[in-house]
Amino acid sequence: MQTLSTQDTGGTGDTSEDIPNDECGVFGVWAPGEDVSKLTYFGLFALQHRGQEGAGIAVGDHENIVVFKDTGLVSQVFDQSILDALQGDVAIGHTRYSTAGGNSWENVQPMFRTSPNGTDLALAHNGNLTNYMELQAKAIERNLIPQEGVKGQGSSSDTAVVSALLADAIQGDTTVLEAARQLLPTIKGAFCFMFTDGHTLYAARDPHGVRPLSLGRLERGWVVASETCALDIVGATHVRAIEPGELITIDETGVHSERFAEAPRAHCVFEYVYLARPDSVIEGRSVHASRIEIGKRLSRVEPVEADLVMPVPESGTPAAIGYAEESGIPFKQGLMKNAYVGRTFIQPSDTLRQLGLRLKLNPVREIIEGKRLIVVDDSIVRGNTQNKLIKMLREAGAAEVHVRIASPPVKWPCFYGIDFASPGELIANNGGGHDEAAVRESIRTMIGADSLAFVSTEDMIAATKQPAQNLCTACFTGSYPLGLPDGNPNAELVRRMQRGDN
């Protein structure tokens, strides 16, 4: 095995963006005779929205596994010469946003381990584990990871722990598949794992199916990816979703499936609202169609007279289109987004930091001036962005700014793979108590809108066309279908909130 790397460039700039972030995207391909590294590279491009802090590809050729990974965007990590060096028949790739473990090279995936019987293993993971502390203690007890690694002297991610435990189980005549059968039922939480021994591609989805994972067919192989948009970009035909609790293996004999656990489904509803790309399909439902429908339903909540409907691009656009179609109010793009502003390695000066939102969004004065605006956004987390945005729109001459949100108020943190703020940082918890009208009025005052309305949880669920019992709505309702993790400060705050403690 080889691990290649450019020099660790350190931090990725200002990380205080007022947006929810998904932890990761995973991509795997088994296709002898194809350029699997470049297929994975393009697949990761399609999944870049799921993580911008690091990217990596592991390629196996039956003899060796070669891993290349680094901090940064996919386009910053890889170039033609690197991809040309990654030759083989099977590959897995990963884009990372850190929720477990810091943002350092050691925590970028895929992870690599060699088992006691000499089997090389590369593994990538999307999700968050609720029994991480238990698994970590087990790995430390077996001397699989050093205690100092947990304290920051190396990888501290849950993926590193799972990689160590899986590799350790491959002893003697035990195969990778047999080791996975032993380990997977002991892992709790939200996860989609992709791993390879350089010969076979393996993929597993947690028994609740919190995060999406799909199987696609190439002319000469197979692809597995977090979202169907990644299948599209490499020319794969979408075959089906990987089922919750399913473990699949792909090799020269084809695709083989088995179940390692059963549990009630709990697909993340926020994938439909914000996280997934709109051109993806999740559980048979178009994400774009779901967002259009949310916008239509949102338009019926406290209608207001206005001159135009405009989105906060890009995530608010489908809902704004639906709102405009249903209300009959014209749709216009009043904000222009700089498509080339992403996470950066350049630390902004205080002067540039004060520009804040203008680096990404700029109002079109001729569209906005003198108009009564309905501004549609996907969610409100801390409220900082909406506050700055409304000030910007008023400076551009907006007569009125009515904000409409395509999800309910976010009141609870996520422990299943989304990096929300802590409960005290969520704007919905900073006034109004348990009275919904008071909470909404408090938020409206803090962001400076003329009016504010949210879509209801019921309408949001209806737009997904999924049974309500099959969805996780924890961040909106405080009902956690996978339970709460031990040893997590935010989880302790949630327990207090659920008990009604001050």
Side-chain angles (χ1 to χ4, degrees), residues 194-392:
M194 203 90 68
F195 49 104
T196 183
D197 56 3
H199 174 270
T200 302
L201 176 64
Y202 302 88
R205 189 180 181 197
D206 77 77
H208 297 274
V210 178
R211 300 282 149 232
L213 194 65
S214 292
L215 174 69
R217 185 74 164 103
L218 292 168
E219 185 177 346
R220 294 193 293 176
W222 299 88
V223 176
V224 182
S226 290
E227 294 185 36
T228 61
C229 63
L231 306 181
D232 297 335
I233 202 171
V234 299
T237 302
H238 181 210
V239 176
R240 64 176 177 86
I242 305 299
E243 290 295 312
E246 183 179 12
L247 167 64
I248 67 167
T249 60
I250 303 174
D251 58 19
E252 64 274 4
T253 64
V255 178
H256 305 275
S257 168
E258 59 185 81
R259 290 295 182 94
F260 62 87
E262 299 282 351
R265 293 177 180 239
H267 309 315
C268 174
V269 73
F270 212 70
E271 293 279 356
Y272 294 94
V273 173
Y274 172 80
L275 295 177
R277 265 179 45 162
D279 52 335
S280 288
V281 175
I282 301 177
E283 304 301 328
R285 174 63 165 164
S286 160
V287 172
H288 184 265
S290 295
R291 293 176 186 172
I292 293 284
E293 179 62 22
I294 287 175
K296 290 182 177 181
R297 290 170 178 267
L298 182 59
S299 73
R300 303 167 198 156
V301 181
E302 295 191 23
V304 63
E305 290 188 7
D307 300 304
L308 61 92
V309 176
M310 54 177 279
V312 177
E314 300 290 335
S315 57
T317 300
I321 292 171
Y323 193 108
E325 289 179 355
E326 187 72 9
S327 67
I329 301 171
F331 171 92
K332 289 191 177 182
Q333 293 277 6
L335 290 165
M336 292 297 108
K337 183 174 183 178
N338 185 341
Y340 299 98
V341 175
R343 300 186 68 84
T344 175
F345 289 88
I346 307 301
Q347 295 290 341
S349 65
D350 289 339
T351 302
L352 287 175
R353 190 177 284 108
Q354 289 173 10
L355 293 177
L357 202 59
R358 288 187 183 272
L359 293 173
K360 293 188 176 183
L361 297 173
N362 203 39
V364 184
R365 180 175 285 273
E366 65 184 59
I367 292 176
I368 290 169
E369 193 168 20
K371 299 296 193 303
R372 298 168 297 174
L373 311 178
I374 294 175
V375 180
V376 180
D377 206 352
D378 59 89
S379 60
I380 293 183
V381 181
R382 293 181 178 89
N384 301 334
T385 297
Q386 284 82 5
N387 179 272
K388 294 175 183 176
L389 177 62
I390 291 169
K391 287 180 180 178
M392 187 190 302

Side-chain angles (χ1 to χ4, degrees), residues 8-12 53-55 69-72 96 98 100-109 111 149 152-157:
D8 186 358
T9 47
T12 55
E53 290 187 354
K69 60 181 185 177
D70 214 332
T71 54
R96 183 171 195 269
S98 59
N103 178 31
S104 65
W105 183 88
E106 289 83 3
N107 287 323
V108 179
Q109 302 178 35
M111 298 288 182
Q153 307 296 319
S155 178
S156 55
S157 75

Side-chain angles (χ1 to χ4, degrees), residues 302 380 387 390 401-404 409 411 427-454:
E302 295 191 23
I380 293 183
N387 179 272
I390 291 169
V401 182
H402 302 277
V403 175
R404 297 296 181 264
K411 292 186 175 184
I427 193 172
N429 293 327
N430 286 319
H434 298 291
D435 183 84
E436 290 187 13
V439 168
R440 187 180 61 187
E441 178 59 20
S442 173
I443 297 173
R444 185 201 67 76
T445 301
M446 283 188 268
I447 66 174
D450 290 290
S451 73
L452 172 66
F454 297 83

